[in-house]
């Protein structure tokens, strides 16, 4: 009985000591939280800290922000599963946004089987689940909104056995850029759409039209772009209020006078988005000159007299090629959606040696898939079925779009984006699910060229890679067994020590 009494007294003292320690820790935690209510980010890439650019945008917001995760109630497709994973990471990011904005709401709305979902669709007819809807409303004004897809949030890199090799999370770039655009209002960018040489027009035509940009114009208008027609053959110069000129699919050669007008505009700080199709001469089948080759060569761009072909899964040749964003750290390339564009009979747009353009630097933006199933066919006159010729054809990946920056100033400045296809931006290319990728590519190119910096490309991307054990399978199994034995020995030693201390205490 005496032994039991001593045991219970020691147990009570131990419990009392534990309670005191826990209470002291709770009091200290409460005191620190009250005096300095902040968190410390000790991650290697500062993943829990918003960038200075984002914090600046958030502090300048005057209206109410609502971020709606618009998705189906059940995940059925791979796209919905990817969106669900991206939305989970986005939710954690948005909580940090809320800490900097007084009126910032986050909600999740089910697409089809909810009244809220139907109301959201009626309010914003341009949304399709799954997506993220960002709404910004100032007092007394109609709400402004932008729509983001899962390609705007993250890119998941696959690995064997269905695993994820890593995640590139760039939602802070796109969300902050969207908030900046919504807060600034619109229009912000003045774009002159050139005409007079058979270019695609702004005249509204049907959804299958390959010569109308009316669908693109509607899409760009929501993104802060105002488009106006300019017949360069009749004008003496490009107007001074032009932020960017858009040249889409000319069917006739630019004469020396009109090419000189463009060159003068670019020399004086202007910028342009040039969508140059592969166009054949009906008489002899040769590639129709654009009249701009000399101008482009001056700034390091080589427009190929070829068209890109690819081999389909069933071994059939096709002139529809997937244009994929190029790797690298170029700000415009980083801001592009990871979804591919569908180019129809596109021509290559390559880089000349650096010495050919001492006042400009060129960077690839879009690439075709790798060879040998994709190449640029140089035999454009022959009516034979295209086939790979090792001596003359250009193997994939073929460069399909480049960005040009002038370097004759203190800091590099955007000047040109040259693309080897124009049909992707016409009504046909802007129909259906391809609309998002095509419209976003054009929109972000225009904002980059205009120098608005509203794409927030300088916000760092968060890159996550899982930890992996190196070595053979046998070595990894040995490490697991050794770890288990070590933990068992540690627990046994701790137990023996406590038993000995109580035995002799």
């Amino acid at each position: 009985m005496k032994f039991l009494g001593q045991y219970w007294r020691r147990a009570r003292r131990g419990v009392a000591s534990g309670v005191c320690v826990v209470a002291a820790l709770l009091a200290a935690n409460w005191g620190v939280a009250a005096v300095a209510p902040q968190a410390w980010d000790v991650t290697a890439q500062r993943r829990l800290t918003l960038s200075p650019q984002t914090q600046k945008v958030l502090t300048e917001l005057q209206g109410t922000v609502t971020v709606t995760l618009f998705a189906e109630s059940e995940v059925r497709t791979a796209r919905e599963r990817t969106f669900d994973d991206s939305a989970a990471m986005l939710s954690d990011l948005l909580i940090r946004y809320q800490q900097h904005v007084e009126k910032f709401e986050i909600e999740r709305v089910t697409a089809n089987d909810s009244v809220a979902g139907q109301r959201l669709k009626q309010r914003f007819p341009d949304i399709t689940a799954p997506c993220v809807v960002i709404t910004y409303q100032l007092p007394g004004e109609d709400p402004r909104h932008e729509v983001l897809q899962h390609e705007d949030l993250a890119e998941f890199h696959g690995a064997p056995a269905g695993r994820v090799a890593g995640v590139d999370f760039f939602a802070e770039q796109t969300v902050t850029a969207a908030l900046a655009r919504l807060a600034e209002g619109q229009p912000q960018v003045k774009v002159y759409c050139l005409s007079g040489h058979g270019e695609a027009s702004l005249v509204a035509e049907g959804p299958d039209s390959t010569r109308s940009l009316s669908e693109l114009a509607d899409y760009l208008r929501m993104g802060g772009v105002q488009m106006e027609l300019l017949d360069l053959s009749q004008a003496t110069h490009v107007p001074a209020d032009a932020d960017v000129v858009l040249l889409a699919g000319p069917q006739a050669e630019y004469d020396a006078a009109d090419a000189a007008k463009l060159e003068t505009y670019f020399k004086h700080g202007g910028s342009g988005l040039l969508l140059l199709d592969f166009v054949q001469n009906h008489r002899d089948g040769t590639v129709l000159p654009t009249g701009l080759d000399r101008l482009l060569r001056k700034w390091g761009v080589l427009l190929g007299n070829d068209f890109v072909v690819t081999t389909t899964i069933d071994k059939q040749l096709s002139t529809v090629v997937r244009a994929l964003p190029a790797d690298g750290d170029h700000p415009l390339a980083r801001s592009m959606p990871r979804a591919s564009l569908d180019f129809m009979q596109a021509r290559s747009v390559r880089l000349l040696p650096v010495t050919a353009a001492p006042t400009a630097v060129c960077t690839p933006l879009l690439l075709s898939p790798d060879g040998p199933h994709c190449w640029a066919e140089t035999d454009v006159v022959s009516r034979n079925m295209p086939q790979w010729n090792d001596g003359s054809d250009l193997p994939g990946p073929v460069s399909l779009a480049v960005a040009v920056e002038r370097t004759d100033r203190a800091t590099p400045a955007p000047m040109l984006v040259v693309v080897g296809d124009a049909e992707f931006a016409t009504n046909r290319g802007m129909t259906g699910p391809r609309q998002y990728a095509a419209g976003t590519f054009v929109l972000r190119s225009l904002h980059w060229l205009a120098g608005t910096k509203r794409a927030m490309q300088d916000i760092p991307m968060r890159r996550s890679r899982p930890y992996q054990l190196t070595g053979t399978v046998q070595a990894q199994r040995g490490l697991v067994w050794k770890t288990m034995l070590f933990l068992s020995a540690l627990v046994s030693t701790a137990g023996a020590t406590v038993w000995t201390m109580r035995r002799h205490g």
Side-chain angles (χ1 to χ4, degrees), residues 125-350:
D126 59 322
I127 67 173
T128 302
C131 65
V132 177
V133 185
I134 302 178
T135 308
Y136 182 77
Q137 185 166 18
L138 290 168
E141 295 186 8
D142 293 332
R144 311 164 186 167
H145 81 283
E146 283 206 19
V147 182
L148 304 179
Q149 308 293 333
H150 76 81
E151 295 93 344
D152 285 322
L153 307 178
E155 181 181 8
F156 295 85
H157 301 280
R163 299 177 181 177
V164 176
V167 180
D168 291 339
F169 186 62
F170 34 80
E172 185 178 350
Q173 289 183 7
T174 52
V175 172
T176 301
L179 291 174
R181 291 191 292 268
L182 292 171
E184 290 176 9
Q186 49 188 320
Q188 291 294 323
V189 179
K190 182 66 173 292
V191 176
Y192 279 94
C193 187
L194 301 183
S195 66
H197 304 83
E199 296 92 342
S201 70
L202 297 178
V203 177
E205 295 182 10
D208 293 331
S209 173
T210 60
R211 305 309 304 163
S212 173
L213 301 174
S214 59
E215 295 288 340
L216 176 66
D218 292 340
Y219 186 95
L220 296 179
R221 194 173 296 112
M222 294 187 297
V225 175
Q226 178 184 351
M227 298 184 69
E228 188 172 322
L229 200 63
L230 174 66
D231 189 343
L232 196 61
S233 63
Q234 301 296 322
T236 58
H237 61 277
V238 177
D241 63 342
D243 292 315
V244 187
V245 295
L246 171 62
L247 193 161
Q251 302 295 301
E253 181 178 0
Y254 270 64
D255 59 28
D258 290 344
K261 297 173 188 176
L262 280 179
E263 185 172 0
T264 301
Y265 169 70
F266 294 140
K267 277 185 176 180
H268 288 82
S271 56
L273 173 58
L274 311 183
L275 311 180
L276 302 173
D277 276 320
F278 170 83
V279 181
Q280 284 183 292
N281 192 315
H282 295 295
R283 294 190 303 272
D284 54 12
T286 58
V287 179
L288 187 70
T290 63
L292 304 175
D293 293 73
R294 185 193 64 82
L295 183 149
L296 294 176
R297 283 176 174 269
K298 182 176 181 179
W299 286 303
V301 180
L302 176 62
L303 196 62
N305 290 327
D306 50 32
F307 62 93
V308 182
V309 295
T310 184
T311 306
T312 62
I313 298 178
D314 56 355
K315 307 300 182 181
Q316 298 296 317
L317 290 180
S318 174
T319 56
V320 179
V321 60
R322 293 185 302 118
L324 303 167
D327 294 329
D329 294 327
H330 191 276
L332 181 55
R334 289 208 316 266
S335 75
M336 291 299 172
R338 308 319 292 179
S340 63
L341 295 169
D342 288 340
F343 281 3
M344 173 65 75
Q345 204 168 19
R347 65 197 307 174
S348 66
V349 183
R350 292 175 280 162

Side-chain angles (χ1 to χ4, degrees), residues 23 26 53 73 77 104 106 133 149 160 211 213 236 249 269 284 306 328 336 352 356 372 388 406 421 457 469:
L26 291 174
Q53 301 93 317
S73 57
T77 66
F104 195 103
I106 307 170
V133 185
Q149 308 293 333
R211 305 309 304 163
L213 301 174
T236 58
D284 54 12
D306 50 32
M336 291 299 172
L352 285 171
W388 166 252
R406 50 173 61 91
D421 182 61
Q457 301 101 334
L469 294 176

Side-chain angles (χ1 to χ4, degrees), residues 340-394:
S340 63
L341 295 169
D342 288 340
F343 281 3
M344 173 65 75
Q345 204 168 19
R347 65 197 307 174
S348 66
V349 183
R350 292 175 280 162
L351 312 182
L352 285 171
V354 178
T355 55
T359 60
V361 58
C362 302
T363 307
L365 288 180
L366 297 174
L367 301 175
S368 76
D370 291 339
H373 302 293
C374 185
W375 70 90
E377 177 65 43
T378 57
D379 184 8
V380 300
V381 179
S382 173
R383 298 182 180 274
N384 297 328
M385 184 70 66
Q387 59 181 359
W388 166 252
N389 294 308
D390 193 16
S392 57
D393 292 339
L394 183 67

